[in-house]
Amino acid sequence: MDQDIRIAVDIGGTFTDIEILDAASGAIHQIKTPSTPADPSIGLLTGIRQASERFGFPMAAVQYLLHGTTIATNAVLERKLPLGAVVTTAGFEDVMQIGRHGRTDVYAITLAQPEPLVARRFCFGVRERINAAGEITVPLDEDGVRKVAAELARAGVKSVAVCLLHAYANPAHERRIGAILADLLPGVAITLASDISPEIREYERMSTTALNAMLVPIVQRYTDRLAGRLKEELPEAQVYLVQSNGGVSGLAKAGREPARLLLSGPSGGAAAARRLSAELAEPNLVAVDMGGTSFDVSVVHDGEVSMVNEGEVDGLPVRLPMVEMRTIGAGGGSIAWVDEGGRLRIGPHSAGADPGPACYGKGGAKLTVTDANLLLGRLDGASFMGGAMPLDRDAAHRAAREIADRLGLTVDQVAAGVIDVANSALATATRLSLFEKGMDPEDFALLSFGGAGGVHACEVAEELGIRRVIFPAHASTLSAWGILWSDIAHDLGATQIGLFADLAPGLAETAERLVAEAWTLLDEDGVPEAARRVEWAVDLRYAGQAFDLRVALDGTDFSAGGVARATAAFHALHRQRFSYDEPDVPVEIVALRLKAVGGLAKPVPAQGIDAGPGTARRDRPVHGRHGAVATPVRDRDAISRTDPLAGPAIVEEPYTSIYLPAGWTVLTHASGALIADRSASH
């Protein structure tokens, strides 16, 4: 039988994580390789070649490649974007500079707004006007558009965002402007707001459109280069990129709409958490992904992952549906430093993949969280990365000594302090992710994954009051594992503003239009009808509110009963989020939303073998709450299903380690996950 190999890749700031599934046997393998920031596709192909040699499959056997990437996010964070321009309705050229006047930090004396993506001199207005009902009140001045095109050509602009007032209600003028600019500016990337974000709120829509337009040259260059290399090395592979909504899309759509890739990698972890929630019968999970550069938090509540209609990248709004995620700069490579007040701080700067932490021995000289874990005995320098990348303890000691001398502490005290500060930051980010949804951490289990997460998870859980921690199989590459099971997904929406009950009769017609658009996209993807499904939601708010909440629908029942059920769900969600609801206040609809899903085949993975008896492999001194203690070290596959291992203990596997403090016990679950529980006395 010909092999059917499916590969999922999550390219992070420090490591590239790869999961390989043999569809015939159900065997799943994992591999990690250092990322190559200058050209991420090099690290990707290097890892796949290593996997081919190690696990014995020919490159031509790869049928699917599902790829999460940070290329779009990094381009925005580093502001390495091509020269862009905005074309908008005359009189609204200052929208990007004005922004929103909301304060993210209410205690700050001064308000630090993000630098606008597009300079004011590259924001051009054209005479036209469409009202909120979609009626043309001022015809488009096409000669004015041509004059703007001439100015854009003289300026050497590489991308143009076309964002007109109320184009979500009627895109006719945007489409005509796009056609004129495409004719007069060959080779310039042009994005229409009515294509990428046809929604209310002009600033958020313009920001999203400008981001997309400026990312098009970067992402298309990457996808073209990637497609060329893959054609030679993986000739049979169908290639998909992971989107912020947790689904995947083909390279063509990713090149047209790269803004949908801005949370590409982390959304794979959220998808994995949702799948594990069902497998483990744990409906409430707070999923924490700690890699080399960042710490990402997502929430599974009642078996569902939270989605939002708008996210943020470097302070810039992105008005697109995406997995709700909180990210902080705290990973294994986060750098420890001392501020002007003499306080020990961690991150957000990271040592990255090159040179990496001091202990990598690649020229890094600054103390990082990974160095601290090595010094405290929580990591074994000899077995790091399965022994392929031994760590230099002396280099870590030298990096810690520099801070220890400044603070008048011992090296061990500094290393312990780094872990305490890091754990506090991780717990704060996790707590906020739950508190802002009106949820109590004690009602959740902690799902820990990412290469650096295992040595912190139990102590973070203690700080949160969580008594159960789950370490899934393939924890170090779980985001890639989640990507492995992804489906094609397209998000569509229609702005509909008014009282929900009043507009409900007309929503069926709108729903039919959205389904027709969705089917066109799935036709482009080649998805058979039997593999298609749709998910519906509405954005609702109380009359007079400036924000809305997304409410899932079972279908398109817009009868009086259907409206009543959706309204009741909105009241309940509002009460959970904000501790009150107002059932006597009329409810408005803001948008009808559709997610069209094209299911990819899901082979059944082989079941893991029973764990062997839990015998200690060896001991080593590990620093816990009360200094260094002789601590048993065990391989992950030696943890029993029936005889719990009690902490303190270290559990090792090729790509990550787990630190189990005193007061915790761990068992192997039938799924292969390790379940750690905290005793009532701790």
Side-chain angles (χ1 to χ4, degrees):
M1 180 185 293
D2 293 336
Q3 279 184 289
D4 177 0
I5 301 296
R6 301 167 186 227
I7 293 179
V9 183
D10 175 25
I11 299 180
T14 306
F15 288 103
T16 294
D17 299 344
I18 301 175
E19 289 271 328
I20 306 100
L21 186 145
D22 185 331
S25 68
I28 298 180
H29 308 287
Q30 61 177 324
I31 196 168
K32 288 175 82 82
T33 187
S35 294
T36 51
D39 184 352
S41 64
I42 294 174
L44 180 153
L45 284 168
T46 298
I48 294 176
R49 290 191 206 102
Q50 291 173 354
S52 171
E53 294 171 6
R54 183 179 303 180
F55 305 118
F57 63 85
M59 299 284 274
V62 178
Q63 303 297 309
Y64 288 96
L65 176 63
L66 310 176
H67 172 19
T69 176
T70 58
I71 187 168
T73 307
N74 291 343
V76 177
L77 294 177
E78 298 169 13
R79 288 295 200 271
K80 293 181 178 178
L81 297 166
L83 183 62
V86 168
V87 176
T88 188
T89 304
F92 289 83
E93 298 90 340
D94 297 300
V95 165
M96 292 201 74
Q97 281 63 40
I98 295 171
R100 293 285 180 210
H101 288 182
R103 301 180 68 91
T104 55
D105 184 351
V106 297
Y107 299 108
I109 296 174
T110 58
L111 180 63
Q113 293 282 60
E115 186 71 21
L117 278 172
V118 179
R120 175 61 181 82
R121 65 182 183 279
F122 294 119
C123 295
F124 298 90
V126 295
R127 179 175 167 78
E128 69 84 39
R129 180 61 74 93
I130 292 173
N131 65 20
E135 301 162 342
I136 297 174
T137 59
V138 177
L140 174 64
D141 179 4
E142 295 193 5
D143 288 338
V145 176
R146 295 185 181 92
K147 290 178 182 177
V148 168
E151 292 189 55
L152 295 173
R154 284 194 295 271
V157 163
K158 303 299 182 186
S159 60
V160 181
V162 182
C163 186
L164 304 181
L165 204 64
H166 302 307
Y168 57 84
N170 181 352
H173 285 177
E174 279 196 356
R175 290 177 179 169
R176 180 58 186 150
I177 291 173
I180 294 171
L181 295 181
D183 183 50
L184 298 177
L185 300 172
V188 173
I190 299 168
T191 297
L192 308 183
S194 50
D195 289 339
I196 188 69
S197 184
E199 304 194 15
I200 61 168
R201 299 189 174 92
E202 64 275 13
Y203 168 59
E204 290 79 2
R205 183 170 72 250
M206 189 177 290
S207 171
T208 304
T209 309
L211 266 173
N212 193 82
M214 297 167 82
L215 286 169
V216 165
I218 294 170
V219 173
Q220 282 190 345
R221 189 162 55 244
Y222 174 72
T223 56
D224 289 347
R225 187 167 61 236
L226 179 66
R229 286 179 173 163
L230 294 180
K231 187 175 182 180
E232 296 176 5
E233 304 214 31
L234 304 175
E236 302 298 321
Q238 296 183 53
V239 184
Y240 297 96
L241 292 185
V242 182
Q243 303 176 108
S244 306
N245 63 4
V248 297
S249 69
L251 292 182
K253 185 188 177 191
R256 293 194 307 268
E257 301 182 356
R260 297 187 186 275
L261 307 179
L262 284 167
L263 279 182
S264 177
S267 69
R274 179 181 179 181
R275 185 177 180 88
L276 288 169
S277 171
E279 283 188 12
L280 299 169
E282 292 277 0
N284 294 337
L285 290 175
V286 55
V288 294
D289 177 4
M290 185 177 182
T293 306
S294 63
F295 179 77
D296 303 314
V297 185
S298 55
V299 175
V300 181
H301 183 240
D302 289 338
E304 295 296 329
V305 174
S306 301
M307 300 289 294
V308 292
N309 298 328
E310 181 183 312
E312 186 179 278
V313 177
D314 198 28
L316 300 168
V318 183
R319 186 76 179 170
L320 293 171
M322 58 181 64
V323 172
E324 188 169 14
M325 188 85 58
R326 181 181 296 277
T327 299
I328 63 171
S334 294
I335 294 170
W337 52 287
V338 179
D339 67 15
E340 294 177 356
R343 295 182 302 170
L344 183 63
R345 306 284 293 275
I346 305 295
H349 302 294
S350 172
D354 187 14
C359 61
Y360 281 12
K362 294 164 65 175
K366 295 182 178 180
L367 181 67
T368 68
V369 174
T370 296
D371 295 310
N373 277 308
L374 176 64
L375 291 170
L376 296 177
R378 300 182 181 195
L379 295 178
D380 181 5
S383 63
F384 190 76
M385 289 286 288
M389 191 175 165
L391 301 180
D392 185 344
R393 183 183 176 87
D394 290 338
H397 193 278
R398 288 193 297 272
R401 169 58 60 192
E402 181 180 339
I403 291 180
D405 290 344
R406 181 171 176 183
L407 296 178
L409 301 172
T410 67
V411 166
D412 287 347
Q413 286 173 327
V414 167
V418 167
I419 300 305
D420 286 344
V421 173
N423 287 345
S424 179
L426 306 183
T428 297
T430 307
R431 187 181 291 112
L432 287 174
S433 294
L434 293 170
F435 281 3
E436 68 187 9
K437 300 176 184 64
M439 299 173 183
D440 187 340
E442 294 187 14
D443 295 332
F444 284 75
L446 187 76
L447 178 70
S448 171
F449 56 101
V455 289
H456 295 269
C458 289
E459 290 178 329
V460 170
E462 288 182 5
E463 191 162 335
L464 292 167
I466 291 175
R467 310 195 70 85
R468 190 172 178 86
V469 178
I470 299 166
F471 301 96
H474 293 204
S476 181
T477 56
L478 194 74
S479 287
W481 183 87
I483 291 169
L484 196 63
W485 307 102
S486 295
D487 290 317
I488 295 169
H490 300 290
D491 284 298
L492 299 164
T495 294
Q496 304 277 307
I497 301 178
L499 293 180
F500 191 16
D502 291 349
L503 295 186
L507 292 179
E509 182 179 342
T510 304
E512 288 180 10
R513 175 174 61 81
L514 292 178
V515 169
E517 292 177 18
W519 256 232
T520 299
L521 291 170
L522 293 176
D523 285 341
E524 181 183 297
D525 296 321
V527 178
E529 288 198 18
R532 302 179 184 185
R533 72 176 191 273
V534 295
E535 299 172 5
W536 294 96
V538 284
D539 298 345
L540 300 178
R541 66 186 181 188
Y542 290 121
Q545 276 186 328
F547 62 89
D548 46 77
L549 295 176
R550 183 176 180 139
V551 177
L553 300 176
D554 291 333
T556 54
D557 178 6
F558 299 115
S559 66
V563 169
R565 286 190 293 275
T567 301
F570 167 72
H571 291 313
L573 181 59
H574 197 282
R575 186 167 58 252
Q576 177 193 301
R577 278 292 170 97
F578 305 110
S579 76
Y580 78 97
D581 62 342
E582 297 186 277
D584 295 330
V585 174
V587 172
E588 291 183 336
I589 183 174
V590 176
L592 176 64
R593 297 191 181 277
L594 163 67
K595 174 179 278 191
V597 179
L600 299 178
K602 301 291 188 298
V604 178
Q607 293 297 313
I609 60 173
D610 287 344
T615 57
R617 191 179 70 210
R618 64 181 184 278
D619 290 358
R620 69 167 180 259
V622 176
H623 287 255
R625 300 186 190 92
H626 307 295
V629 176
T631 303
V633 180
R634 302 196 182 184
D635 287 330
R636 180 181 179 121
D637 58 10
I639 304 302
S640 170
R641 290 190 181 182
T642 56
D643 183 18
L645 171 66
I650 297 289
V651 180
E652 290 186 343
E653 54 185 294
Y655 296 123
T656 189
S657 295
I658 295 168
Y659 172 57
L660 194 72
W664 288 80
T665 59
V666 65
L667 286 170
T668 297
H669 185 269
S671 68
L674 298 183
I675 311 292
D677 285 290
R678 184 156 60 110
S679 66
S681 60
H682 284 78

